[in-house]
Amino acid sequence: MADFLDEKRREMQERLKELRPLVDEYHRLEAAVAALDGVGDTGGGTGRRRSGGGSSSGGASSSGGAASGNGRRGRPRGTGTRGKQALELVRTSPGITIPEIAEQMGIQQNYLYRVLPSLQKEGLIRKEGRGWHAMDAA
């Protein structure tokens, strides 16, 4: 019976090794899709680079100084997909740094310097030194 269990365990470990590159590719593609989601023409067609998260796209551009009529300046808020991905990485790898998160997500670091402080303000993560940690139920 022990031989059977050892054999099955070994088969499962081998299969996990086979699947790991595919899972990594999946996460990279997911991050790439999130990065491209809502990106419009770069040739200046509509003046909008990103759809306004759930709002109707009736106007060609947001030309009043406010991003989506909510009083904010700059780019409109995204869907939060990257934030969720980053939060999951922080949860699974306590002490992970921004360069490590960016590498695993397949995105540039500069985006994370906006996302992680937002997650910190929401009380989901905390920073210790250069590393980030999830806020567990205290």
Side-chain angles (χ1 to χ4, degrees):
M1 184 65 145
D3 290 339
F4 174 79
L5 293 176
D6 289 338
E7 180 184 346
K8 291 303 170 189
R9 184 178 294 118
R10 189 171 37 256
E11 288 175 6
M12 286 187 252
Q13 288 172 339
E14 288 174 14
R15 185 66 177 145
L16 285 171
K17 286 180 187 176
E18 290 175 20
L19 293 175
R20 182 43 129 181
L22 296 175
V23 171
D24 291 341
E25 179 184 6
Y26 175 85
H27 289 297
R28 284 192 304 274
L29 288 173
E30 190 176 46
V33 167
L36 293 175
D37 194 27
V39 174
D41 294 338
T42 57
T46 64
R48 289 178 64 116
R49 293 178 59 182
R50 187 182 282 246
S51 65
S55 65
S56 65
S57 55
S61 67
S62 55
S63 63
S68 57
N70 62 2
R72 291 183 62 240
R73 293 180 50 183
R75 293 177 58 175
R77 285 193 183 270
T79 60
T81 303
R82 289 188 196 147
K84 291 174 189 170
Q85 290 173 328
L87 178 59
E88 185 59 31
L89 285 171
V90 170
R91 284 184 176 147
T92 58
S93 302
I96 193 168
T97 64
I98 285 180
E100 292 167 339
I101 295 170
E103 181 179 337
Q104 289 191 31
M105 290 177 65
I107 63 172
Q108 295 293 317
Q109 296 176 23
N110 62 341
Y111 181 79
L112 295 169
Y113 286 102
R114 287 185 14 221
V115 171
L116 293 181
S118 295
L119 294 173
Q120 186 177 24
K121 285 179 186 175
E122 293 175 26
L124 299 173
I125 61 174
R126 71 181 186 284
K127 186 174 182 185
E128 290 182 16
R130 292 182 58 213
W132 292 88
H133 300 267
M135 297 290 284
D136 295 325

